[in-house]
């Protein structure tokens, strides 16, 4: 015998779950210096490991240059320098084992495409936005707009995408 399920029963079961998950967002986590940062996956287009950055004269120090991504020229922002965390030394080629020590995360924020260069990408996690807290003023840094403590005790900081896209490139 087959059991019939009423569509109203499905709706009743799924509504509380949908309401509960409405503040959960998929985020890409990555390392930059001694910080673990995250950004919503809705802004992430792709991650590039094998990259060649063309430097440009007369650019702010945090603009490492541009990359040609399938015919589209994108500025590449050094996220450490942009946050005021000192000089970064990213290699322009792979080490002897063939591994890249850094990567570029290609973002699309409000129809502005750009790349941010980071030390390494970690993973995609679900972050409950209800648990994100403001950064204490004495520790506040440029481009960061929230922080949260994960179950393992590590602290993840949120990149302010609106501030990043509004920055003078």
């Amino acid at each position: 015998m087959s059991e019939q399920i009423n569509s109203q029963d499905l709706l009743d079961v799924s509504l509380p779950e949908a309401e509960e998950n409405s503040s959960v967002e998929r985020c890409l986590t990555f390392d930059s210096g001694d910080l673990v940062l995250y950004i919503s996956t809705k802004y992430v287009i792709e991650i590039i490991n094998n990259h060649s950055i063309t430097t440009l004269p007369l650019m702010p120090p945090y603009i490492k240059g541009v990359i040609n991504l399938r015919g589209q020229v994108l500025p590449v922002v050094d996220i450490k320098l942009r946050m005021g965390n000192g000089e970064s030394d990213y290699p322009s080629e792979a080490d002897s084992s063939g591994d890249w020590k850094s990567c570029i995360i290609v973002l699309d924020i409000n129809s502005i495409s750009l790349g941010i260069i980071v030390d390494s990408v970690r993973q995609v996690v679900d972050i409950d936005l209800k648990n994100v807290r403001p950064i204490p003023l004495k520790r506040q840094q440029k481009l960061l707009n929230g922080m949260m403590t994960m179950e393992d005790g590590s602290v993840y900081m949120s990149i302010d995408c609106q501030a990043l896209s509004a920055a003078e490139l």
Side-chain angles (χ1 to χ4, degrees), residues 56-73:
L56 299 174
L58 305 173
M59 296 301 291
Y62 59 86
I63 302 291
K64 296 308 266 185
V66 294
I67 59 171
N68 184 340
L69 183 63
R70 293 181 293 283
Q72 183 181 12
V73 177

Side-chain angles (χ1 to χ4, degrees), residues 1 3 22-23 26 37 45 56 61 63 66 71 78-79 85 104 129 134 147 154 159-160 162:
M1 293 183 135
E3 185 177 325
S22 64
S23 68
R26 306 270 304 157
L37 304 171
I45 303 300
L56 299 174
I63 302 291
V66 294
D78 181 331
I79 202 74
N85 287 342
I104 296 173
L129 299 178
M147 61 186 272
S154 59
I159 294 282
D160 183 352
Q162 304 312 315

Side-chain angles (χ1 to χ4, degrees), residues 1-14:
M1 293 183 135
S2 65
E3 185 177 325
Q4 286 189 338
I5 298 175
N6 185 342
S7 62
Q8 184 61 38
D9 292 338
L10 286 175
L11 186 60
D12 290 342
V13 171
S14 63

Side-chain angles (χ1 to χ4, degrees), residues 84-95:
N85 287 342
E87 186 64 36
S88 300
D89 184 29
Y90 294 110
S92 59
E93 52 188 57
D95 65 14

